[in-house]
Short mmCIF file of all heavy atoms in Angstrom, two decimals:
data_model
loop_
_atom_site.label_atom_id
_atom_site.label_comp_id
_atom_site.label_asym_id
_atom_site.label_seq_id
_atom_site.Cartn_x
_atom_site.Cartn_y
_atom_site.Cartn_z
N ASP V 81 -1.16 14.11 8.40
CA ASP V 81 -1.02 15.54 8.13
C ASP V 81 -0.52 15.82 6.72
O ASP V 81 -0.21 16.95 6.37
CB ASP V 81 -0.06 16.18 9.14
CG ASP V 81 -0.62 16.15 10.55
OD1 ASP V 81 -1.82 16.47 10.72
OD2 ASP V 81 0.12 15.81 11.49
N PRO V 116 15.22 -11.10 8.61
CA PRO V 116 15.50 -9.67 8.81
C PRO V 116 15.43 -8.91 7.48
O PRO V 116 15.79 -9.43 6.42
CB PRO V 116 16.92 -9.65 9.37
CG PRO V 116 17.16 -11.03 9.88
CD PRO V 116 16.38 -11.94 9.00
N PHE V 166 11.42 13.00 -4.18
CA PHE V 166 11.64 11.57 -4.42
C PHE V 166 11.11 10.67 -3.29
O PHE V 166 10.57 9.59 -3.57
CB PHE V 166 13.12 11.28 -4.66
CG PHE V 166 13.39 9.85 -5.01
CD1 PHE V 166 13.04 9.34 -6.25
CD2 PHE V 166 13.96 8.98 -4.08
CE1 PHE V 166 13.27 8.02 -6.57
CE2 PHE V 166 14.18 7.65 -4.39
CZ PHE V 166 13.84 7.16 -5.64
N HIS V 315 -20.26 18.07 -2.24
CA HIS V 315 -19.20 17.24 -1.66
C HIS V 315 -17.90 17.38 -2.47
O HIS V 315 -17.45 16.44 -3.12
CB HIS V 315 -19.65 15.78 -1.58
CG HIS V 315 -20.82 15.58 -0.68
ND1 HIS V 315 -20.70 15.48 0.69
CD2 HIS V 315 -22.15 15.49 -0.95
CE1 HIS V 315 -21.90 15.33 1.22
NE2 HIS V 315 -22.79 15.32 0.26
#
Side-chain angles (χ1 to χ4, degrees):
D81 294 316
F166 184 73
H315 297 279

